[in-house]
Amino acid sequence: MLNVILNISLLLLGISIIGCLYRVLKGPSMADRITALDTIGIQLIGSVAVLSMLLHTQAYVDIILLIGILAFISTVAFARFIERGVVLENDDDL
């Protein structure tokens, strides 16, 4: 029963990652794209944690920590990039 629940949660996490990937590609603004990238990082952490439970191992805990650190650093870096005002938005009015 637990394996079925874990497999369903992996499927739902995969679907939500695809939805966030759509937002990264078609996002209306750069802030939306950065938020979607951060959400993908969080969903990857959840996917690796569920996979670790499914395989009955603790070997993936280091990978979870690494993904979390990289997601945090990339979000902060993108936020600093936006703060400087270097981002060029696509204008449909031109």
Side-chain angles (χ1 to χ4, degrees), residues 9-10 12-18 20-21 36-52 60-71 74:
S9 64
L10 273 178
L12 291 175
L13 281 167
I15 292 171
S16 63
I17 286 173
I18 291 171
C20 285
L21 187 62
L37 278 175
D38 190 42
T39 305
I40 287 174
I42 293 169
Q43 292 168 347
L44 280 175
I45 290 172
S47 298
V48 173
V50 169
L51 186 63
S52 176
Y60 297 118
V61 175
D62 295 335
I63 295 172
I64 291 171
L65 292 173
L66 181 67
I67 293 171
I69 290 169
L70 289 175
S74 66

Side-chain angles (χ1 to χ4, degrees), residues 47-93:
S47 298
V48 173
V50 169
L51 186 63
S52 176
M53 290 189 308
L54 191 62
L55 298 176
H56 302 290
T57 183
Q58 294 180 354
Y60 297 118
V61 175
D62 295 335
I63 295 172
I64 291 171
L65 292 173
L66 181 67
I67 293 171
I69 290 169
L70 289 175
F72 174 74
I73 290 173
S74 66
T75 302
V76 170
F78 282 132
R80 294 279 307 222
F81 187 70
I82 287 178
E83 182 182 359
R84 290 185 185 164
V86 181
V87 177
L88 299 175
E89 293 290 333
N90 292 335
D91 265 345
D92 293 334
D93 298 334

